[in-house]
Amino acid sequence: MPQDKSLNLFFELHHDLPRQAPGDREFTQRAFQMCRDMPRKPKILDVGCGPGQQTLDLLEISDGNIIAVDNHQPYLDELMRRAQQAGVQDRVAPLKKDMHELEFDPETFDLIWAEGSIYILGFQKGLKTWKRFLKPGGYIAVTELTWLQPDTPAELLAFWNEAYPAMQDIDANVDEFHNQGYELKGHFVLPESAWWNNYYYPLQEKMPSFRKSYEDEAQAQEIISTEQREIDLYKMYADYYGYVFYVAQRIES
Ligand SMILES: C[S@@+](CC[C@H](N)C(=O)[O-])C[C@H]1O[C@@H](n2cnc3c(N)ncnc32)[C@H](O)[C@@H]1O
């Protein structure tokens, strides 16, 4: 994500999108079903919730209560607008907070959820620092950008080495769960439809007017070029990388 002055432009481009990362209700549900013996009304932490599509899906699927954390207030406002519309606002508590500074009592949650956001803290650090907030036997479900094949094409590698150099393959991520005291319950790759329908198509629709509004603004043009490059690379190389949903259970204190 861009820093400083570019951030406002980035948020403007991303405002009003259904989601801020690839995903779909079907896959939120599939991951939730891997969490066996969940209490009837689980206590859930959704980290980096964005405008909250997966938060709302989880509320409906789980019958639980959710603390939804993000550091961007407009996303939390949008989440609560959607929650109000769905009549589930009493079961979600928005929390504006930097995920680097989360403070909860130990063993508070039955489930920690993070779609497209654990990378912000770092995959290993997220697994490590969030574990103490999970009850023993509690679950964590995250999506993480993951290499799916070796022999990555050079132009793809160059782009992601810049954008997310910490990206690992599935085996390395699975090892992180074991190293941090979790038992992996399953993982699956989000299909291309989850990228296009809920994320890239809506984002691309906003690009022409954004490009026009900021035609003299170099930073805006750079943001849009980088995003278009990301989309073009995904179109060409979707077999080589993707978002993987990982679901694991806390087994050690
Ligand atoms: C890629 S988006 C994913 C959002 C949402 N989970 C989804 O799938 O639509 C990452 C989210 O993390 C939030 N974020 C970025 N840095 C953060 C931080 N340091 N603390 C809390 N949230 C952060 C962003 O505002 C954004 O909503």
Side-chain angles (χ1 to χ4, degrees), residues 161-231:
N161 272 348
E162 180 84 16
Y164 186 39
M167 194 189 330
Q168 307 194 104
D169 63 15
I170 289 178
D171 287 348
N173 285 336
V174 168
D175 282 348
E176 295 288 6
F177 281 100
H178 295 146
N179 295 341
Q180 300 303 329
Y182 298 89
E183 183 177 313
L184 191 78
K185 292 296 173 182
H187 63 84
F188 57 90
V189 180
L190 292 185
E192 289 180 43
S193 59
W195 289 67
W196 291 109
N197 297 341
N198 297 328
Y199 187 50
Y200 279 162
Y201 286 151
L203 179 59
Q204 270 186 317
E205 259 176 49
K206 294 195 71 183
M207 285 181 170
S209 65
F210 183 88
R211 202 185 281 281
K212 197 155 188 298
S213 304
Y214 292 103
E215 56 193 352
D216 298 324
E217 176 73 63
Q219 277 179 323
Q221 298 300 323
E222 195 184 319
I223 286 171
I224 218 155
S225 300
T226 305
E227 300 232 354
Q228 188 59 56
R229 176 84 176 134
E230 180 189 315
I231 293 171

Side-chain angles (χ1 to χ4, degrees), residues 1 11 18-23 46-54 69-72 75 97-100 114-117 119-120 143 199 243:
M1 196 178 283
F11 280 131
R19 313 183 72 108
Q20 292 296 332
D46 184 2
V47 188
C49 63
Q53 190 54 56
Q54 78 290 319
V69 176
D70 208 282
N71 67 348
H72 187 54
Y75 287 158
K97 186 101 183 156
D98 187 334
M99 70 172 81
H100 295 85
E115 291 198 35
S117 58
Y119 80 96
I120 293 159
T143 61
Y199 187 50
Y243 264 100

Side-chain angles (χ1 to χ4, degrees), residues 4-115:
D4 307 330
K5 281 189 284 180
S6 300
L7 203 54
N8 287 343
L9 289 162
F10 175 88
F11 280 131
E12 186 177 332
L13 177 61
H14 280 248
H15 184 66
D16 269 350
L17 297 179
R19 313 183 72 108
Q20 292 296 332
D24 193 86
R25 185 188 191 286
E26 180 186 346
F27 308 109
T28 299
Q29 181 159 29
R30 185 168 157 194
F32 182 77
Q33 283 167 346
M34 290 177 174
C35 308
R36 300 277 172 206
D37 302 320
M38 209 27 87
R40 210 169 56 80
K41 292 187 180 295
K43 208 166 168 194
I44 302 171
L45 176 67
D46 184 2
V47 188
C49 63
Q53 190 54 56
Q54 78 290 319
T55 322
L56 294 179
D57 292 339
L58 266 178
L59 282 166
E60 194 194 315
I61 294 162
S62 72
D63 215 20
N65 290 284
I66 300 183
I67 295 178
V69 176
D70 208 282
N71 67 348
H72 187 54
Q73 186 62 43
Y75 287 158
L76 294 173
D77 294 343
E78 173 63 10
L79 158 68
M80 291 316 288
R81 193 191 62 75
R82 293 179 187 184
Q84 205 102 29
Q85 210 166 36
V88 292
Q89 69 277 9
D90 295 344
R91 293 199 284 127
V92 56
L95 177 62
K96 183 175 183 295
K97 186 101 183 156
D98 187 334
M99 70 172 81
H100 295 85
E101 295 163 5
L102 291 181
E103 286 165 20
F104 299 102
D105 289 337
E107 305 183 3
T108 295
F109 297 99
D110 299 294
L111 175 61
I112 294 180
W113 206 266
E115 291 198 35

